[in-house]
Amino acid sequence: MDRRNFLKTMSIAVSVVAVSPTFSKKAHANPDKFQQALMKITGGKTPTPSDKVQLKAPEIAENGAVVPIKVLVNLPVEQVKAIHVFAKDNPNPYVFSIYFTPQNGRAFISTRIKLAKTTVVHALAELNDGSFLEASQKVKVTIGGCG
Amino acid sequence: MPRKALVKIKPRRYKKGDIVTVATVIMHPMETGMRKDKKTGKVIPAHYITDVEVYYAGEKVTYMKTTSGLSANPFIAFNIKVDKEAPLKIVWKDNTGDVTEKVVKIKFAQ
């Protein structure tokens, strides 16, 4: 190998190495954000999937700007402290939290949220003993309604 | 500046001790701060509701922390156990310091 070729290959290899970390960082920016948002609420605890948490969301949403969701926790309201909702692939994954007292009678929330694209919606129920229960559902978002 | 808000209690007639659904809607743009104005190309500043508080007979019974992830003109429905005839006050606060209050009276059917 002559010197000219050697330099050429070296420069390509270096540039590939230099560029690749920035690429991978970009691709993983959102899951990191989701994990960070989750950490902020749970404080490092892992939520356990449970059928006690009922998340009702459409499987296909025509309009990502208005996606109706309902969350009901099938436990006495005295045991439930809060419900937290996350949309995994949103630019801002944390959507809302609602905190309950026994006066509520039932741990239930119905509202409308925005979804940037097809994503998984997570509903976390925070119990008074500090544990977390989770339910999640994938919602397909068709943009524009032409496809 | 108070915004237009609606509060509805379902069902319309209820007895003492019932669990009723309180449905609320407030007129609010809920700007995320990421959208651009199509004509000028400038970013529209974030403007969204951050807190919703519910008081029943002067006591805070439930509250909500919200972000711009809620749709425009947010609709929120939750449950309240009605055990006394008292005002139900709902307060919306947004990130510009705007506060809107709405009071409905809890009255049992005769």
Side-chain angles (χ1 to χ4, degrees):
Chain A
M1 197 191 280
D2 61 291
R3 186 167 173 263
R4 196 177 301 254
N5 256 333
F6 174 71
L7 280 177
K8 222 181 197 171
T9 48
M10 268 308 282
S11 66
I12 288 167
V14 166
S15 64
V16 164
V17 168
V19 164
S20 57
T22 57
F23 265 122
S24 57
K25 224 178 192 176
K26 236 180 192 173
H28 292 292
N30 233 324
D32 281 355
K33 250 183 163 178
F34 171 64
Q35 289 301 336
Q36 278 173 18
L38 210 62
M39 273 290 282
K40 245 187 185 174
I41 295 291
T42 61
K45 284 175 190 158
T46 38
T48 41
S50 164
D51 54 2
K52 289 269 193 292
V53 184
Q54 286 178 8
L55 169 65
K56 258 192 191 170
E59 271 175 33
I60 297 171
E62 298 90 24
N63 186 357
V66 184
V67 182
I69 65 156
K70 282 181 186 175
V71 185
L72 173 68
V73 183
N74 262 338
L75 286 170
V77 74
E78 288 81 5
Q79 290 181 31
V80 184
K81 191 182 170 193
I83 290 175
H84 311 283
V85 172
F86 298 86
K88 199 178 172 193
D89 289 338
N90 268 15
N92 188 2
Y94 172 63
V95 183
F96 71 86
S97 299
I98 179 162
Y99 295 85
F100 298 106
T101 58
Q103 190 72 53
N104 281 96
R106 198 186 296 154
F108 167 79
I109 176 75
S110 166
T111 186
R112 296 171 192 150
I113 64 170
K114 288 178 200 159
L115 296 179
K117 57 185 173 195
T118 299
T119 181
V120 181
V121 176
H122 293 262
L124 262 68
E126 185 177 357
L127 305 186
N128 273 329
D129 60 8
S131 60
F132 288 87
L133 301 178
E134 187 198 21
S136 59
Q137 194 193 321
K138 192 172 182 179
V139 179
K140 270 188 186 165
V141 178
T142 52
I143 303 160
C146 303
Chain B
M1 184 196 74
R3 293 180 169 273
K4 202 178 171 190
L6 293 167
V7 177
K8 213 176 184 183
I9 293 174
K10 292 174 196 172
R12 277 210 341 243
R13 295 168 71 82
Y14 43 85
K15 302 190 297 291
K16 189 177 176 176
D18 280 2
I19 294 174
V20 297
T21 302
V22 183
T24 69
V25 175
I26 181 167
M27 296 297 145
H28 201 283
M30 298 299 275
E31 283 296 346
T32 58
M34 292 176 207
R35 226 157 54 90
K36 276 182 185 168
D37 192 318
K38 271 178 192 161
K39 278 178 194 159
T40 59
K42 275 186 189 166
V43 174
I44 304 169
H47 187 203
Y48 55 89
I49 290 167
T50 56
D51 292 279
V52 183
E53 290 162 8
V54 182
Y55 297 87
Y56 180 41
E59 239 175 274
K60 197 188 211 177
V61 291
T62 190
Y63 68 100
M64 224 175 140
K65 288 205 174 300
T66 60
T67 64
S68 55
L70 247 59
S71 302
N73 303 335
F75 162 85
I76 298 160
F78 51 88
N79 289 130
I80 291 282
K81 193 175 174 189
V82 286
D83 48 15
K84 48 191 172 272
E85 293 198 327
L88 184 73
K89 186 168 84 171
I90 294 147
V91 183
W92 292 268
K93 291 176 185 168
D94 77 8
N95 66 336
T96 58
D98 209 30
V99 177
T100 303
E101 285 185 16
K102 187 93 182 172
V103 180
V104 286
K105 280 203 172 135
I106 300 289
K107 247 186 168 179
F108 300 129
Q110 297 305 316

